[in-house]
Amino acid sequence: MSYKSFQEMLKKVFLALFVAAAISCSAGPRVNLDGDGPGMLKPDAAQSVIVKDLVGLFESIHYKKVPFNDSLSSEIFDKYIKTLDEGKNYFLKSDIEDFENYRNVIVDDLKEGDLSSMFHIFNVYQTRYLERLKFAESQVKNDFDFTKDETYTYNRKNEDWFATKEEANETWRKRVKYDMLTLKLSRSGEEVENKQKNIETLTKRYENLISQAEKTNHNDAFQIIMNAFTGAIDPHTNYFNPSYAQAFNEDMARTFEGIGARLVLDNEVVKIMEILPGGPAFKDKSLQVDDRIIGVAQGNEEFVDIIGWRLDNAVAKIKGPKGTVVRLKIIPAGQELTSQPKIISLTRDKIVMEETSAKKEIKMVTGDDGKQYKIGVINIPGFYLDFKAYNDKDPNYKSTTRDVRLILDTLKQEKVDAVLIDLRSNGGGSLIEAIELTGLFIDSGPVVQVRDTRNRIEVDNDEEPGTSYDGPLGIMIDRFSASASEIFAAAIQDYGRGIILGTQSYGKGTVQSAIDMSRVISASNRLLLKAQNIDRQEVAPGAPEFGQINITMAKFYRINGSSTQHKGVTPDIEFPTVYPADKFGESSEPAALPWDQINATKYSPVANLSNLITALESKHETRMQASPEYKNMLEDIKLLNEKEDETEVTIQEAKLKKERDEAEARSAARNNQRRIAISAGHLPLEAEDKDADKKLKVDFVQDESLNVMADMISLIKK
C-alpha cells in the first residue's frame, strides 16, 4: 500500500469515527417516525442541521431578542397547528390532545435539530387531509336532496375540533352538497345532462387535490414547519427552501434564466400556460400555448420522462443558466398524449418580467374649473432590484428606479400636468430602491433612518442632486402598501413634496437581510452531511443549496423620527377602508415588533401643503356627498362587516338561489347606473360601445384620486 493510499484510508477511518461520535453524542429523536406508517415523511439530516444553526443565528443577530423558552415553544406550537388546519376541517380532537405533549418541548427539540415531533404532527395532518378528500370524493355521486333545509358551516373558527370521524364525515357531506349545489346554480339547460357534468367536474376536482397531496414530500413539510417557527418570532423573518428562495430572488430581480414560458400542471402533465415576449420560446416560435411537455433533456443527454412529476421539480429541469441548451419532448396542443411527440431545442436566456414591472398610462380629467388636465399614472407593483446585475456593475441592471425614471422622461415629453403614483397592494421590496426612487422627486437629502440590533442609527440619504420630476405629485396607498412603499410615501409626505391618497398603509417598519444558508452552516456540519452522503432534493441551477433566511436585523424610521411599525402612513386625503386594521396589517400580527420613535433628522421640507390639503379635502368631501360610487363603496363595506361574523351558508336550493339572485340584482342595478352615466342616458350601452364591459369596471379610488389631482393643479395655478 502506498503512503498516499494509507493517508486516504486514515482519512476515511477518522471520518467514520467522527460520524459515529456525532451520532452517538446526540439524543434519539423524541418521536419514532417509523410508527407513523409506511410512506410517512421524515426529515433528512440537512434539515436537522439547518434548523439547529438557525436557532443559533436567531439568538445572535435577530433584531428582536426573543428568549428561546417554553413560552416561545407554545407560540410555535399554536402557530403550527393554525397553519396546518386553521379552519378545523381535518384534525380530530384526539389528535390535538395527543399533540399537546409537544407544546413545551418544541424549542428544546429545535435546538438539538430534532424535528421528529413536528414531522409526526404533519404526518397525522396528511393522513387526515387525505381521509377527508377521499371521503368527499366518495360522496360526489350521492343523490342530494336540495329541498331539505340544511346549513353548511364553512367557517369553523368558533367550533371545537371534530370529536369523531363520523362528525367530520357529516360536515364534509354538507361541504360536497354545497359544492354540488353551487355548480347546479351556475349551469343552465337540461337538468340530467348538467347533473352528470357537475359530477364529472367535482370528481376531477377532488382527484386533482388527492393527486397533489400524495406528491407532498419532506421538503414541503419542512417549509411549513419553518414558517411556523420563524413566524412565531417575527412575521417578516422567513426561511425559504431552495426552490422558494430562487422564486423569491427572481421576483425581487424581475428576471430569471430559462426558456421564457409560464407552466401549469394539467391532469399530471406540464402544459404551456403563457409564452413570455422576448424570451427564447417567443423568438423560436416552436412552442405554443397549451402544448404539453412530457420529457426534458439537458443538451445532448438522455430524455427524462416528467409525466406525473410535481410542477416545481419539472420547472427545475426546464430552467437553467443563460447560454445552456435544453431539449423538450412536446405533444402539440389538441393532440392525444399517445401522439408522436416533436423534439425542440432551445438555448436558455435571461428573461425580464416586464408584466410585473412599473407601467404608465395617461388619463384625461376634467377639473371643476371646466379645464381638461393630462395626468400620468404610474403603477409600481413592487420595489424590485436585480442585485446580482447591480453588484456585477451591469449598466443595464433591472430596477424600479431605472424604470420609473424612463417613464417620467416619457411623461414629461407628453407634457402631463401631474403625476399620480399607484402603490396599492405594493408589498415593498428593496430598501435601496425606496431611497433612490424618492431621489427622483427631491433634490437631495435624508430619506429614511435605520436602527440596527446594537441601537446604532444610520441616516440613508438621496445623494444625487436634482430631480427627474418636480411637478404636482400624488401617491396612492392602501392597507396592503407596505415596507418600501411606506418609506417612499412617508418621505414624500414629510418633505411636503406631494399628497398621499387612500387608506392607512400596512405598518411594516422592519428591515430584512437575505442570507444564503450555506454561509451559516458550520464546517463540521458540512463534513457530517458529506460523510452521510445526504440525498438532497434536486436543486435548480442558481438556487441556494440549503435555502435562504430573510431575517429581521433592523427597524426603519421616518425622517421625522416616527416608526411606520403598526401605524403605517396615514393619507392626507383618506378613503373608507374595506380592510379593518385589527384583521389586516401589522397590528393584526401577534409577534410583530412594537411602535416606537427616535429623534428626527435634519431635513428641509420642499413645501408646507397643509392649506392646500385642507382645500383639497373640502372639494373631495363635496364630491363624495353626491357620488353614487361612494355610496356603493360604503354599502359594500357595511355588507362585508355584517358578513364578517357569518360562519354558515344555506344548502337549500331555493334559499341559496334567492340570496344569489338578490346579489346579482344589486350588481345589475349598479351596472345600469354606470351605463346611464357613461352613455348619457342612451341604452343599451353594449350596442354603442365595444369597450362597455371595460368601462363598467370602476376603480373608484383611482378615479377620485385623479379628481383630487385635477383640483390640486387648478389650486396651484391660482
Side-chain angles (χ1 to χ4, degrees), residues 480-514:
F480 300 106
S481 304
S483 194
S485 291
E486 295 173 295
I487 293 172
F488 173 68
I492 295 297
Q493 190 175 55
D494 290 342
Y495 273 101
R497 176 60 191 86
I499 59 169
I500 314 299
L501 309 103
T503 59
Q504 181 190 23
S505 62
Y506 192 89
K508 178 186 177 291
T510 55
V511 184
Q512 286 70 45
S513 295

Side-chain angles (χ1 to χ4, degrees), residues 104-155:
N104 295 320
V105 298
I106 288 175
V107 160
D108 292 336
D109 288 349
L110 295 178
K111 286 179 178 179
E112 296 298 321
D114 181 359
L115 292 161
S116 62
S117 61
M118 303 284 270
F119 265 81
H120 170 65
I121 292 171
F122 189 88
N123 286 338
V124 174
Y125 165 75
Q126 183 77 345
T127 299
R128 299 293 182 228
Y129 181 76
L130 285 168
E131 283 176 356
R132 295 296 100 234
L133 291 181
K134 288 175 180 178
F135 173 80
E137 185 186 22
S138 74
Q139 299 297 297
V140 170
K141 293 182 181 178
N142 281 0
D143 191 13
F144 292 109
D145 179 6
F146 295 118
T147 65
K148 188 176 180 181
D149 191 4
E150 284 188 304
T151 58
Y152 161 55
T153 303
Y154 61 87
N155 185 343

